Amino acid sequence: MSLSSRPHRAPRAVPARRLLALVTATAVLATGCAHAAGAHSGEPAPTAASSTGSAATSAPSATPTTTGPTATEPATTAPASPQLAGVVVTPADAAVGHNPVDPVVVRTGRGELGEVVLVPAAGGVPVPGERSADGRTWTSTDVLAFDTAYALHWTAAAGGATSTGTSTFSTVSAAQEVDARVNVAEGGVYGTGQILQFTFSEPVRHRDEVERAITVRGGGDRAGAFRWYSDTVLRYRPADTWEPHSEVTVSLDLLGLDVGGGMIGNHDLRRSFSIGAEHYARVDDATKTLTAYVDGEVAGTFPVTLGNPDWPSTTGRKVIMEQAPSYLFKASSLSLQPGDPHWYETFWASNVSRLTASGEFVHQALPSAMPVLGEANVSHGCVGMSAEGAKFVHDVFRPGDIVEVVGTGYPQADPDDGYGDWNIPLEHYADESWQGKW
């Protein structure tokens, strides 16, 4: 897996904080208690190609194009003319920003429609459509392409006379498209504590509509809740952890959905993934041990060292974000320079499991820390373990499993510093202003 980094937060007195489905899950390793600098990205690019932008053009006019008199006007014996048919086209001629999901409709007030052809203006395959039983209405049946100009050609007959007409319009521009990613991979296997995160390319104003466009099935079918961390980041968690050994399907019907500000979803998301065995680890500063549980049974207890008084380990339930057999740790990623009492030489940490975005990991401790495992805290906030213990966590546990740290006297990590969502009571989860213990 690829690895990137993000610096560890310095200690603080109180820490800061829609018409078709749901992103690879393996987040990218960022920096840790001794880590390398770089950018952190926890979600994959969507599977459907998309174009996005930040500028929004004015919304299209929905007024249909009307050619000819109304149906109540008397028939005329004039030469063939579009006015004989009373044809109405939606969208209107020269309309811009037409939602590709909305059908194109051609109607005649009397007589019948003849040939109707809808085709990209630059050329291409005609868009299929259906004619009504009375022959007076034609409706397109396929979703149109985004950011594309179309030409519509029609004929109609009434009273023995034939009319023809052409209109043009364009669909939503690239600057008004919005796409989304989700942090689980198709067919992936995750732990019972996996949090679902949706990341949107543009700000979402119609939050309720987006939430209603998301469906989560399986995993024990435990009713869950949504929490917005920003206008572009939305998370979902079930009421309780996912059912072990279960299947989950996530859908986001985003295609054609107006998320606000004239921004229109340009694809749907669908993801199906599995939940594995239940893995849970409890790290207790009082005993300086990590006790690992597998499907409710103790699978091992290992001595640890936690963060020293200047770099204490945060408490609470944390979700393993990603793992790697080795990772380069650098003191410079903590803004430490040679001569600083907390400086350390660059080294490769073994069997790494990330707990926070800011840089807390479970990993094999340095040789110099091995003598104090189970006795003293000497790390920069990480859970340092024996070679056996770190390998067990790396090999048995997986992203989505929960590691809970207790007893350090330090507050919880911010819930968005990784996936600390399980520290928020469900009744407060949707309340973005709820501060809790962090």
Side-chain angles (χ1 to χ4, degrees):
M1 61 183 70
S2 60
L3 307 176
S4 66
S5 62
R6 174 172 170 183
H8 182 70
R9 295 181 182 172
R12 55 226 159 114
V14 180
R17 35 167 263 130
R18 193 185 47 109
L19 220 322
L20 296 169
L22 261 334
V23 132
T24 63
T26 304
V28 179
L29 275 173
T31 64
C33 52
H35 8 296
H40 178 79
S41 173
E43 301 81 28
T47 56
S50 62
S51 300
T52 62
S54 57
T57 58
S58 59
S61 168
T63 306
T65 298
T66 303
T67 304
T70 64
T72 58
E73 292 178 312
T76 177
T77 58
S81 162
Q83 306 211 345
L84 292 175
V87 173
V88 178
V89 176
T90 305
D93 187 28
V96 296
H98 177 73
N99 191 326
V101 170
D102 294 342
V104 176
V105 181
V106 184
R107 294 185 179 91
T108 180
R110 57 189 174 201
E112 291 186 4
L113 291 171
E115 184 180 31
V116 178
V117 179
L118 175 62
V119 66
V125 178
V127 178
E130 291 182 348
R131 188 182 305 271
S132 63
D134 62 8
R136 293 188 175 187
T137 302
W138 182 93
T139 305
S140 62
T141 55
D142 270 7
V143 173
L144 305 182
F146 279 78
D147 197 24
T148 301
Y150 282 88
L152 178 70
H153 310 281
W154 55 265
T155 64
T162 300
S163 302
T164 63
T166 296
S167 65
T168 61
F169 64 92
S170 60
T171 55
V172 170
S173 68
Q176 292 178 273
E177 296 181 49
V178 57
D179 56 46
R181 298 172 291 169
V182 62
N183 65 337
V184 289
E186 180 69 23
V189 182
Y190 299 90
T192 59
Q194 179 67 28
I195 299 297
L196 298 179
Q197 177 170 300
F198 305 86
T199 303
F200 298 86
S201 63
E202 304 294 337
V204 174
R205 299 181 186 178
H206 300 164
R207 293 184 174 187
D208 290 344
E209 287 86 342
V210 168
E211 291 180 18
R212 285 193 291 267
I214 296 172
T215 302
V216 181
R217 293 188 175 90
D221 290 318
R222 296 160 177 170
F226 293 100
R227 182 179 178 88
W228 290 89
Y229 283 92
S230 73
D231 286 340
T232 60
V233 176
L234 170 65
R235 290 184 183 174
Y236 173 89
R237 50 155 286 195
D240 199 356
T241 53
W242 305 101
E243 182 74 23
H245 310 285
S246 64
E247 302 294 324
V248 182
T249 299
V250 180
S251 303
L252 168 56
D253 294 332
L254 184 63
L255 180 64
L257 182 66
D258 184 348
V259 305
M263 307 304 297
I264 307 298
N266 64 7
H267 69 122
D268 287 339
L269 280 172
R270 297 283 188 272
R271 294 288 187 275
S272 294
F273 60 96
S274 301
I275 301 299
E278 181 183 35
H279 302 134
Y280 165 76
R282 179 181 174 87
V283 181
D284 191 341
D285 186 46
T287 60
K288 292 181 174 50
T289 58
L290 180 152
T291 302
Y293 298 81
V294 177
D295 285 335
E297 300 293 332
V298 174
T301 299
F302 309 92
V304 301
T305 182
L306 299 174
N308 64 51
D310 292 331
W311 298 86
S313 300
T314 58
T315 56
R317 288 179 288 178
K318 312 169 193 181
V319 175
I320 294 178
M321 302 174 67
E322 50 206 342
Q323 297 175 298
S326 63
Y327 183 61
L328 187 65
F329 281 8
K330 296 181 179 180
S332 59
S333 68
L334 299 175
S335 299
L336 298 175
Q337 303 297 325
D340 188 289
H342 296 290
W343 169 263
Y344 54 85
E345 295 294 335
T346 297
F347 72 98
W348 285 92
S350 300
N351 291 314
V352 175
S353 299
R354 170 178 289 283
L355 300 180
T356 69
S358 63
E360 291 185 23
F361 298 85
V362 176
H363 66 85
Q364 181 177 322
L366 285 171
S368 60
M370 291 296 180
V372 300
L373 292 181
E375 298 179 9
N377 293 332
V378 297
S379 83
H380 289 78
C382 291
V383 179
M385 301 187 71
S386 64
E388 177 191 12
K391 181 173 175 57
F392 181 90
V393 173
H394 177 270
D395 292 353
V396 175
F397 281 55
R398 59 172 57 90
D401 286 329
I402 293 175
V403 176
E404 183 170 13
V405 177
V406 300
T408 69
Y410 200 63
Q412 297 169 354
D414 294 352
D416 59 345
D417 183 11
Y419 301 123
D421 305 68
W422 295 107
N423 297 317
I424 306 175
L426 186 67
E427 61 268 26
H428 296 297
Y429 191 63
D431 182 1
E432 299 165 53
S433 66
W434 192 82
Q435 291 298 302
K437 299 179 181 179
W438 61 88

